[in-house]
Amino acid sequence: PNSDNDYTPGSNTRKVADLDAHIAASYPTAANRSTAQWRVYTDIGRDLSTRGKLEEAEKYFRRALTEAKAGFGDSDPHVAAARNNLAELYRLQK
């Protein structure tokens, strides 16, 4: 990498380029918060599901679905992913 704006594959950090900042600014703040919450709830749900704590996982997957709907609307891919996570959980509960 030759500049602070270059991305290095495998690294966890990168200085935000002006272009990145502009793109991030174009998204509503509520959607950014919803993305973060959706991701946290989804990660917790997946972890609990993997450990066999399916009832507890369901609570987090439902929270993720609620957050996705609130932040993005029913037709957004975040909502579809949250519904898919719940469907997979229900399949495991059988």
Side-chain angles (χ1 to χ4, degrees), residues 59-76:
K59 293 175 190 176
Y60 283 95
F61 284 143
R62 286 187 174 279
R63 289 176 185 168
L65 177 58
T66 298
E67 198 64 45
K69 286 181 178 180
F72 307 104
D74 286 336
S75 63
D76 190 83

Side-chain angles (χ1 to χ4, degrees), residues 8-44:
T8 304
S11 74
N12 291 332
T13 60
R14 167 172 81 89
K15 185 174 180 178
V16 176
D18 290 337
L19 178 62
D20 295 337
H22 174 71
I23 292 169
S26 70
Y27 287 94
T29 304
N32 288 338
R33 275 194 299 269
S34 291
T35 299
Q37 276 309 132
W38 170 81
R39 190 173 310 274
V40 168
Y41 291 149
T42 297
D43 289 347
I44 293 171

